[in-house]
Amino acid sequence: GENVEQHPSTLSVQEGDSAVIKCTYSDSASNYFPWYKQELGKGPQLIIDIRSNVGEKKDQRIAVTLNKTAKHFSLHITETQPEDSAVYFCAASIARDDKIIFGKGTRLHILP
Amino acid sequence: GAGVSQSPRYKVAKRGQDVALRCDPISGHVSLFWYQQALGQGPEFLTYFQNEAQLDKSGLPSDRFFAERPEGSVSTLKIQRTQQEDSAVYLCASSLVGRVNGLNTEAFFGQGTRLTVV
């Protein structure tokens, strides 16, 4: 089955700097890659997603890139703000399975 | 409702007790998922429904775990004879379309039920 690896597990960046979180996946049939933000005591919330037919997607300060050949995908957050502090999960999904397989998460700290 | 609703938010069970966790998905959503999230970990897939049909239960850790969605809307995850290792947050998610479309769409998560087995 699909396996998603995520790193780093913890990331601290100065407010205003950029943050990058990287993930790899194992199943070449995966075609949907969502990113979730989880705040304390809440369920994961989708912040951006990308499908396998595109290599990059951007939404304001957030961008995701996908390298299908290498089975890598990354989340980029620019101009970080205090409210970006949270746990971020990458995930992968295969159309035939529908289930979403999550990475172990990255705890992002934005330093004042 | 506006989002996925789970109840109770918190549940403390004595070891050996049976528990039932409820999920109200977004109205009209075809797919419903249950995930287990241990402290400091990512959500782990448990089971998946498309309407009332349970299409995948490969993630259920043992036969003590049982899920149902009899009318294709509300779902219940039941854990029998709870053990300490069952302590976790149980997340429910729903999405609009199902496998028949071959599409993946956004899955909306509830806030979860935190189960503590003592």
Side-chain angles (χ1 to χ4, degrees), chain A residues 9-96:
Chain A
S9 57
T10 306
L11 178 62
S12 296
V13 300
Q14 211 70 36
E15 182 179 349
D17 288 350
S18 296
V20 180
I21 301 171
K22 297 183 178 182
C23 291
T24 60
Y25 61 100
S26 61
D27 195 328
S28 57
S30 288
N31 65 342
Y32 176 63
F33 305 92
W35 285 87
Y36 287 86
K37 176 182 181 181
Q38 188 173 31
E39 296 175 319
L40 195 63
K42 297 184 178 180
Q45 181 179 18
L46 181 75
I47 55 171
I48 194 167
D49 57 14
I50 190 168
R51 300 185 187 276
S52 58
N53 57 346
V54 299
E56 185 173 355
K57 183 177 179 180
K58 188 174 182 180
D59 182 4
Q60 298 183 341
R61 297 186 297 109
I62 296 174
V64 58
T65 59
L66 171 65
N67 183 328
K68 286 171 55 180
T69 303
K71 298 182 196 168
H72 289 174
F73 57 117
S74 301
L75 177 73
H76 304 252
I77 306 175
T78 59
E79 301 171 17
T80 52
Q81 301 170 4
E83 53 265 36
D84 295 331
S85 293
V87 179
Y88 291 81
F89 293 98
C90 63
S93 181
I94 305 170
R96 66 173 183 267

Side-chain angles (χ1 to χ4, degrees), chain A residues 31-32 36 38 41-46 49 51 89 93-105 107, chain B residues 9 33 35 37 40-45 48 50 56 58 91 98-99 102-107 109-112:
Chain A
N31 65 342
Y32 176 63
Y36 287 86
Q38 188 173 31
K42 297 184 178 180
Q45 181 179 18
L46 181 75
D49 57 14
R51 300 185 187 276
F89 293 98
S93 181
I94 305 170
R96 66 173 183 267
D97 285 340
D98 289 305
K99 64 189 177 188
I100 300 169
I101 304 301
F102 285 81
K104 293 191 181 300
R107 183 171 297 277
Chain B
R9 282 295 315 279
F33 307 83
Y35 285 81
Q37 187 174 25
Q41 300 295 313
E44 297 275 350
F45 171 80
Y48 160 64
Q50 186 182 116
D56 189 338
S58 62
L91 295 165
R99 184 179 295 184
L103 297 174
N104 305 106
T105 61
E106 178 177 357
F109 281 81
Q111 290 188 299

